[in-house]
Amino acid sequence: MSESPNKTHFGFQEVDENQKQNLVADVFKSVAGNYDVMNDAMSMGLHRAWKWFTIAQSGVNPGNEVLDLAAGSGDLSLKFAAKVGPQGRVVVTDINPAMLAQGRRRLTDAGIAGNIDYCLVNAEQLPFDDNQFDCISISFGLRNVTHKDVALREMQRCLKPGGRVLVLEFSQPTNPTFSRLYDAYSFNVIPKLGELISNDRDSYQYLVESIRRHPGQEELKQMMLEAGFDRVRYHNLTGGIVALHVGYKY
């Protein structure tokens, strides 16, 4: 008899581990065309401030090499390209071809070329050398990874000694009253926005559910320490709706 596959979560559903990647791929294929519009609508534009804060914490300098995982439509990649300059390099990656194409179009339209490469990448199996990058970022993508511990170890492997990793992700509000209001907004408003803007309620229902299944601030910090990162810290943004975790390699 063949061994039963392990289970994992897809939103609030329990699914076979070997199914999750395709299910997540279907979600992002569906939302790619309206991704930026929905980000603005759902966060009321706050995602822009969260990403600028991430860049400010990156320590990236001219000439550096940056890996942007789950880059989506390229918000962070665009900013990193400006910081590393013509002597540096940004590797823009996503596991989903539709999202990677969306990011490529956006960066090309912005005139970004020369210091940018594009790569279809699974965060659990990075096709890069050990100690290659000065900075590695993953923005609103880690929660979609099946084996987060594996992805974190891969990031640690590919980071240069002295480099830093940036994990920007939805997290857990720190105030109970605010948390209840956030739950009401998330479950009642966000799927409706998805239906109105993208004609896709189900994908944004998954988004809300996936946030609730993602490790909280302290749990993710511990996972990063176990993956080999040092001096891990996190910054709660907008009351903990989002947290930026920063870790170093020595």
Side-chain angles (χ1 to χ4, degrees):
M1 281 179 67
S2 61
E3 187 176 329
S4 298
N6 293 326
K7 295 290 186 178
T8 189
H9 57 81
F10 175 73
F12 289 163
Q13 301 177 54
E14 293 294 317
V15 299
D16 292 346
E17 281 190 347
N18 56 17
Q19 291 181 307
K20 181 170 179 176
Q21 183 174 314
N22 288 335
L23 291 169
V24 172
D26 288 343
V27 166
F28 284 92
K29 181 179 179 181
S30 176
V31 305
N34 292 295
Y35 187 77
D36 291 323
V37 174
M38 277 299 298
N39 279 349
D40 279 330
M42 288 187 302
S43 72
M44 293 172 279
L46 284 171
H47 75 100
R48 299 173 185 271
W50 300 332
K51 290 166 183 171
W52 274 116
F53 181 79
T54 301
I55 295 295
Q57 295 293 317
S58 71
V60 167
N61 293 307
N64 281 174
E65 191 167 1
V66 176
L67 174 62
D68 189 11
L69 295 170
S73 61
D75 278 351
L76 289 186
S77 299
L78 189 66
K79 297 173 176 61
F80 280 132
K83 287 188 76 69
V84 303
Q87 304 306 314
R89 184 168 77 121
V90 179
V91 181
V92 183
T93 78
D94 206 286
I95 195 172
N96 187 284
M99 287 306 307
L100 188 62
Q102 185 80 356
R104 182 193 288 266
R105 281 192 296 270
R106 184 171 176 217
L107 270 65
T108 300
D109 289 347
I112 304 298
N115 64 350
I116 289 276
D117 292 320
Y118 300 90
C119 190
L120 198 64
V121 160
N122 182 339
E124 296 180 27
Q125 300 170 324
L126 298 182
F128 306 112
D129 294 336
D130 294 357
N131 307 317
Q132 181 171 342
F133 296 97
D134 298 283
C135 179
I136 298 176
S137 67
I138 183 166
S139 172
F140 303 113
L142 186 63
R143 72 180 186 283
N144 298 310
V145 175
T146 304
H147 303 102
K148 298 174 181 60
D149 56 338
V150 175
L152 289 168
R153 288 197 298 271
E154 278 289 270
M155 293 180 219
Q156 200 272 349
R157 176 183 67 80
C158 294
L159 195 65
K160 289 180 181 178
R164 70 183 76 184
V165 69
L166 307 163
V167 181
L168 181 67
E169 189 54 88
F170 291 108
S171 200
Q172 297 180 1
T174 55
N175 179 280
T177 300
F178 184 46
S179 181
R180 288 192 293 271
L181 293 172
Y182 176 56
D183 276 348
Y185 172 76
S186 296
F187 285 100
N188 295 307
V189 177
I190 289 178
K192 187 64 176 177
L193 285 173
E195 183 178 358
L196 292 173
I197 295 173
S198 300
N199 194 29
D200 188 351
R201 183 184 186 94
D202 289 347
S203 291
Y204 287 94
Q205 183 69 36
Y206 161 73
L207 167 70
V208 172
E209 293 175 4
S210 71
I211 292 169
R212 299 315 185 279
R213 297 300 297 265
H214 186 65
Q217 289 91 325
E218 284 294 327
E219 185 180 355
L220 181 54
K221 177 181 177 179
Q222 185 59 39
M223 290 176 67
M224 292 175 67
L225 290 168
E226 291 172 0
F229 291 106
D230 292 298
R231 288 175 52 204
V232 178
R233 68 179 192 272
Y234 61 84
H235 304 269
N236 284 320
L237 307 175
T238 315
I241 286 178
V242 165
L244 172 66
H245 284 70
V246 182
Y248 298 82
K249 180 175 178 177
Y250 290 103

